[in-house]
Each structure stands twice: as structure tokens, then as C-alpha cells.
Amino acid sequence: MKSGPRSDARAPRNGVPLEQLRPLWSAGLVLTLVLLPLCLWREDMIFELNFLTGMLIWGLLALSLDLVWGYGGMISLGQGVFFGAGGYAMAWFLTGGITHRVGRAPDPELLAPLFGLGVGIALAVVLALGIAFLCFRSRVGGLFFAIVTLALAVTAKLLVITWRPVTGGDNGIINIPRLFRVDPEPELSQYFIVLAAVLAAYWICRRLVASHFGRVLTAIRENELRASSIGFNVNLAKTLIFGVAAAIAALAGALFAPYNGNVNPIHIGFETGAIVLIWVAIGGRGFLLGAFIGTFLVQYVRFYMTDIIAPFMSVTTANSVWPLIFGFVFLGVILLYPDGMMGLVHRIGAWRVPLPESLRRALARANGADALPRPRAVEGARTPPSGSAP
Amino acid sequence: MIGAILEARALTKRFGGLVAVDDVDLLVNRNTVHSLIGPNGAGKTTVFNLLCGLMASDGGTVTFEGRDIGVLPFHRITLEGIGRSFQRTQVFPDLTTFENVRVAAQTRQPRRLSPFRVPRGSDPGSDTAYRALEIVGLADRATERADILSHGEQRALDVAIALATQPRLLLLDEPTSGLSVGEVANMTDLVNRLRSELAMTVLLVEHNVNLVMNISDVITVLHQGRVLEEGSPDAIRGSRAVAEAYLGTDA
């Protein structure tokens, strides 16, 4: 009956992995995102607040790529096109695109944003479904699919530059008004509109990847031939998720246009589609949350490092150095840490913390809906037989 | 039940000028173990791929339980009741062993592609999945990731994935390739149990002649894309044509 370190290691480990506290984590994160701006709000913090708003919008775009890449297993360089479709449509309606042609404005406070959002999402989804249908019908997959989406991005940018009457050509659409202006704090109201949209989209994606459809998608990412051989229409599933992701990217674009005040061809082109790839890779693909972590990290580092290196080089030089740096980081992450920052998050999530029994039971209940179904008999098989204890 | 479960007539497949499968007739009877053997390049795997719709044939028909399945796309064949394993192991490496079979069992569940339905431990599919793991002897590995399983275990998982789709006909493409002696014995036992306990029909492509002779009811020998000989293991063992095909005319 000695209790040395050896027998300690064999004893069933007490405590709950941090990962299982997910309901608490989620609630805490949401509360922070809601309360922090409210509590700390001061006039001179507009810049920080807008930075956060921007992160949420870009994170939403990254989320759309994570669905396609992290779950569908397709590399898309064209998420910027869907983002741009949402952005341009919203910008067009908010700047009175209808007014010029019909002569009578729809209620600019309510109807214009709804029209902008609806048309933008519809445009993006139709485009995405069309491209995916054509690609998968002619068995274009893998790297070739990435090239097709790259071509799409280049074409879309050219189209936008050429179609001046609607898109404003090279200058894009400028002076886009804010959404639902609630004075005297338009920045704050904008932040909460964006936050609500992001939380809703994130929740939908969470449900989606846990669902039957999401499980099939994950199987397709893992092994397309096998997924098809157990009876699932691989092309249909891939086409559908590409459409869903396009809708989310368009939503991000529609939020971005009034936030940024202008949209221009850069937002629709390859530049946007490529940088998102880096965010998702660094955050970790296939986790949803990683998309936001990667976006935040890269943008934050880039922004504050610019201050630090500013004395040593001009802004123009700094701007051309960043893609180089992030390109190398991208390569490093892909080759060495395919799980990105989420790998780290999960390692921390495996740490165990002691919890009172009542709280533990409540957690088990809250986790129940989300937890991976485990065969009961297996759980039994893993507990050591009672007779073997000394 | 006696009678044919699968019937292929005049199956033909050409790759450019090469006729890989040439006018092959194949009749698989219900609740039997039927083996396809033949020297390398005889067209065994190609026949398999034609039967399960992975390749489009250049001629001939395939009938499963009286229905023409030759025109169906690959993924529909599984729903008709044909499961298959692959010569090169095909599993989902990043998922747990259990999820590997659970997602396969999902194919028989209501709303199998629904974005609103979340799989639960109480689903019938979870039971099917767990039973498939038990049959191949992987139940105690259920929570491990598939890519840390040994080669032999992954071969077994490949079969379990096919089983979880609840097939009536199972196509096994060289299930023992790369297995140790002990693992081959397990696989032999597994194929026997599939027929005797689960009343399944098994069509087998196999190189291990001892195994084929032990467990087959009927053996079809393919040579250069054609059916050379068909019969019971004893008849095949005594066939002069088969010996010549394998060893050359001087044998």
C-alpha cells in the first residue's frame, strides 16, 4: 500500500480538462466582448474600438475561408471576391445607387442596408455555387481549384475596375455612410451591430460543423475517395459549403463597406483572398475560433510593429516588407505547426483543474449536446478492473 | 436464400489500346465467399472498380439483387447495399476510430446530410458503428485517432468502415496485403464470420493463395482480362490452365 509517485501516475487523474469548461469560456468571451467596450468607453478610445470592430469583420471573412479550407479541404484564393460582392452591393445601396436611377430613395436608414446585404449575399452565393458546380462537374479539384479561384479573383478585380458607372472604377465607392447611426456614439453602435452579426455567424458555423452535414464534410477533407465510397455525394457537399462560406464572406464585406467608408478593387482582388489564407493558417484551420485568433494576431502584430519599425524605414517600405515576413511565417506554420495557434490552445485546454462535483455535473450537462458521441462500452473498458487495485 | 446477388455480363474496360477487362461474366451467389485471383495485371482490381461504379465500363451490365446498377454513380452503389474496402488502406486519418465508422453508419440514418441534426451517442448509427468495430476487433481502440493505429489495425478499420454502411455484399480488395501471419489469421477468421454469422456475401480479390483456398466457396481466375477458370478451390487447384497462367507454359 505504498503511495509513491508511480502509483500516483496510475491513479485516475482528478480534475477536469480546461477544454471541457467550454461553456464557461464561451460565455466569458462573449461577456467580455459586450462589456469591455461599454465599461471602458471614452471619446479618445475610438481608435481602439474601431480596431476591434475591424478585427471582428476580417475574422468573419477568415471564418468563411476556414469552412472551405479547414472543413471542406478546398483551398480558395477567391474569398475576396465574395467579400467584395457583399461590400460593393452594400456600398452601392448605401450611397443611394437606387436613388439615382429610380428617383426615389428607399428608406436609407433601414431598407438600403437590407437591400445591400440581400443583393450582396445573393450575388456571392450564386457566383460560388456556379463556380463550384462547374469545377467539380469537370473534376477540377485540389490545387487546380485554387487556381480557378485565383483566376476568379483576378477577373473580378478587372471587372470592377472596368465597370466604372456602378463600381467607381479604380477609386471604388467612397463616402459610404454608417449603418443605423445611433448618435452620439456611432462607433459604439456600429461595434455592436458587427458583434451581433459575428456571433450569429459563428454560432451557425459551430452548429453546422457539428451536424451530420459537417461530419460528412470533415470526412471529405480527410479522404475524398473514402467519403464517396460510404455513400456521400462529395461534389454536392463541397459545392454547398462553398456557397455557405460565400454568404458569410459577403456578410463580412457588407459590414466592411460602411465601417471602412469606402470599397475599392483591392478588396475584391487576390490581395484580400491571399492574406486571409495566412490568417487562417496561423490561427489554425479546422477549428473556427482559429480564424479569429489568427486574424487578430497578425493584424495586431502588424499594426503595433509598424510603430516600432517606423523610425528605421518609410511607411511604404514597411508596407512592402510585411507581406514578405508573413509569407515566411505562413510557410513555417504550414510546414511545422499545421494546427497553428489552436494547437497551443488545445494543449492548454488539456490542462486539468480541480472542480467541485456539482459544477462538474452541470458542465457535463452543458457539454452533452456538443460532445462527440462515445460508445458507452468503451468508456467502461478504459476504467481499470477493480480487482487489480492493491 | 440461394441465388445470385450480383451478376455481371460481358464486362469490358479498355485503357487506350489495352483491354484490361475483356468480356468478363461473373456470378456471385448469396451468402458465399467468392474470390477473384490471377497473376499481376490480370484485371482483378479493375473488375472491382467496374462493379462498384468507381470506373465506367466500356460495355456490359452489372445487376445487383435484380437491379441494374451499372449506370449508378459511385456513391449511390453503397446505398444499394454494396460496401467495399481498398487495396491501399482508405481511412479518415485525423478522426477517431469511432468517428471513422460512425460517419459511415450515418449514411443509413434519416436526414443523413442535414445541417441541423447533430449526431448523438444514442443514435442507431452509433450502435451500428460500435458493432462494426466489435466485429473487426477494434472496439477498445475506438477513442484513438485512426492515424496512430498500426497498419494491420488500419486494414481492419477499412473493413469496419465498409461494414458500418450495412452492406449485403462486401467487396474486399486484398484485405491481407502487408499483414503479419497472425493478422492474416484474424482476417481469415473475420471473413468466415461475416458469411456464417452475418449472412453476408463477400467478393474477394486476394494474392494469398493459401487464404483463398481455405475460405472460398467459389474461385474465379482471371488472366489477361479474361475469365480463365471458375470453380471450387479443389477444381482450381487441379486445373492445368491455372498452373500455366501463374507459372508459365513449362510448368
Side-chain angles (χ1 to χ4, degrees), chain B:
Chain B
M1 264 193 291
I2 306 295
I5 189 169
L6 183 83
E7 194 177 350
R9 288 259 167 255
L11 217 50
T12 303
K13 178 72 186 176
R14 290 181 210 94
F15 295 112
L18 176 79
V19 186
V21 175
D22 188 3
D23 199 23
V24 165
D25 291 343
L26 191 69
L27 199 79
V28 180
N29 282 321
R30 210 174 276 277
N31 201 10
T32 56
V33 173
H34 190 135
S35 295
L36 277 179
I37 63 171
N40 281 329
K44 305 178 296 282
T45 295
T46 309
V47 167
F48 248 45
N49 290 341
L50 295 176
L51 291 179
C52 73
L54 192 55
M55 285 178 185
S57 66
D58 294 319
T61 58
V62 183
T63 319
F64 177 68
E65 295 182 331
R67 270 198 305 275
D68 181 13
I69 59 164
V71 292
L72 292 178
F74 181 46
H75 71 269
R76 295 276 319 175
I77 301 279
T78 305
L79 301 179
E80 293 291 321
I82 301 181
R84 78 164 286 179
S85 77
F86 290 83
Q87 186 176 356
R88 286 181 52 195
T89 313
Q90 302 286 347
V91 299
F92 306 115
D94 240 9
L95 307 183
T96 64
T97 304
F98 181 71
E99 178 65 8
N100 263 269
V101 279
R102 197 209 56 77
V103 75
Q106 187 179 311
T107 203
R108 294 258 174 232
Q109 287 214 257
R111 298 194 281 153
R112 64 201 196 101
L113 263 178
S114 163
F116 304 110
R117 199 183 166 98
V118 176
R120 291 176 196 287
S122 55
D123 285 348
S126 296
D127 285 337
T128 311
Y130 186 60
R131 237 179 299 124
L133 285 183
E134 260 183 340
I135 291 168
V136 303
L138 282 177
D140 57 342
R141 305 287 270 161
T143 54
E144 307 283 3
R145 280 165 52 116
D147 59 353
I148 70 153
L149 299 183
S150 71
H151 174 72
E153 286 170 327
Q154 289 195 16
R155 298 297 297 167
L157 179 58
D158 198 334
V159 176
I161 291 172
L163 283 178
T165 65
Q166 298 177 288
R168 293 182 293 284
L169 170 67
L170 196 60
L171 309 181
L172 300 181
D173 196 351
E174 292 190 36
T176 66
S177 80
L179 295 191
S180 70
V181 177
E183 288 166 337
V184 169
N186 284 341
M187 190 61 82
T188 313
D189 178 52
L190 172 63
V191 172
N192 274 324
R193 277 188 293 131
L194 290 179
R195 174 184 45 182
S196 54
E197 290 171 25
L198 296 166
M200 219 171 263
T201 313
V202 180
L203 180 61
L204 202 67
V205 163
E206 190 48 75
H207 270 302
N208 185 331
V209 176
N210 277 334
L211 174 94
V212 168
M213 292 298 168
N214 279 334
I215 63 175
S216 308
D217 298 298
V218 183
I219 297 175
T220 302
V221 185
L222 288 179
H223 184 48
Q224 293 176 353
R226 290 171 161 275
V227 175
L228 184 70
E229 196 82 69
E230 186 170 275
S232 66
D234 285 336
I236 297 299
R237 197 178 277 128
S239 160
R240 187 166 172 77
V242 173
E244 280 174 3
Y246 267 93
L247 302 171
T249 39
D250 297 334

Side-chain angles (χ1 to χ4, degrees), chain A residues 5-369:
Chain A
R6 183 174 284 267
S7 63
D8 270 347
R10 281 172 169 232
R13 278 191 288 175
N14 283 317
V16 175
L18 274 175
E19 218 152 17
Q20 281 182 21
L21 303 181
R22 198 152 82 194
L24 290 185
W25 285 113
S26 318
L29 190 61
V30 172
L31 271 181
T32 313
L33 285 172
V34 171
L35 291 181
L36 197 68
L38 282 180
C39 297
L40 296 183
W41 175 247
R42 291 199 322 269
E43 277 298 315
D44 60 348
M45 286 188 67
I46 286 184
F47 183 81
E48 280 79 5
L49 183 71
N50 277 345
F51 185 78
L52 193 57
T53 311
M55 283 314 92
L56 288 175
I57 295 173
W58 290 118
L60 196 58
L61 177 60
L63 181 72
S64 85
L65 180 67
D66 196 23
L67 280 184
V68 172
W69 190 22
Y71 290 89
M74 304 168 269
I75 294 184
S76 163
L77 293 163
Q79 289 312 102
V81 176
F82 310 124
F83 180 80
Y88 269 94
M90 183 60 104
W92 195 74
F93 277 97
L94 284 184
T95 51
I98 285 279
T99 324
H100 299 318
R101 281 160 188 79
V102 185
R104 202 165 62 86
D107 180 355
E109 282 295 305
L110 187 65
L111 275 183
L114 287 184
F115 270 121
L117 187 64
V119 169
I121 289 181
L123 209 64
V125 169
V126 167
L127 194 61
L129 292 182
I131 291 285
F133 176 77
L134 290 177
C135 276
F136 300 140
R137 198 191 56 167
S138 21
R139 302 187 182 191
V140 172
L143 214 52
F144 290 101
F145 182 75
I147 292 170
V148 170
T149 57
L150 172 61
L152 177 71
V154 173
T155 316
K157 187 175 174 182
L158 284 178
L159 180 76
V160 160
I161 291 175
T162 324
W163 197 14
R164 296 186 63 106
V166 171
T167 62
D170 275 314
N171 298 325
I173 301 178
I174 54 170
N175 293 330
I176 306 166
R178 288 270 160 76
L179 285 177
F180 313 115
R181 275 158 296 177
V182 182
D183 295 322
E185 314 286 9
E187 274 78 17
L188 211 53
S189 66
Q190 170 178 261
Y191 171 79
F192 281 109
I193 290 168
V194 169
L195 182 63
V198 166
L199 288 179
Y202 183 78
W203 184 78
I204 289 171
C205 290
R206 257 286 151 243
R207 296 283 304 178
L208 188 71
V209 300
S211 71
H212 275 178
F213 178 68
R215 300 302 183 95
V216 171
L217 213 56
T218 312
I220 291 171
R221 174 194 73 195
E222 289 297 306
N223 189 337
E224 231 176 281
L225 175 66
R226 210 11 158 169
S228 168
S229 81
I230 57 176
F232 294 111
N233 188 339
V234 167
N235 290 347
L236 177 70
K238 281 163 71 176
T239 305
L240 288 178
I241 196 62
F242 198 57
V244 172
I248 292 174
L251 171 65
L255 293 169
F256 178 77
Y259 158 79
N260 197 43
N262 71 76
V263 285
N264 61 61
I266 272 220
H267 298 131
I268 209 166
F270 161 68
E271 296 88 338
T272 307
I275 190 85
V276 188
L277 212 64
I278 295 180
W279 296 338
V280 174
I282 288 177
R285 59 188 190 273
F287 301 101
L288 298 186
L289 191 60
F292 289 96
I293 293 180
T295 308
F296 192 85
L297 201 70
V298 173
Q299 293 295 77
Y300 189 85
V301 166
R302 175 182 175 151
F303 192 81
Y304 284 94
M305 288 301 278
T306 305
D307 274 357
I308 294 171
I309 63 171
F312 306 106
M313 57 181 82
S314 71
V315 174
T316 334
T317 319
N319 276 340
S320 54
V321 163
W322 282 119
L324 201 66
I325 294 176
F326 284 115
F328 278 117
V329 173
F330 176 73
L331 275 182
V333 167
I334 289 285
L335 296 176
L336 302 174
Y337 302 101
D339 281 348
M341 291 303 295
M342 284 307 281
L344 190 68
V345 170
H346 278 282
R347 208 168 300 163
I348 294 171
W351 292 350
R352 283 162 186 274
V353 287
L355 276 187
E357 187 59 31
S358 54
L359 190 57
R360 202 186 294 188
R361 232 177 272 141
L363 271 175
R365 228 174 299 131
N367 268 325

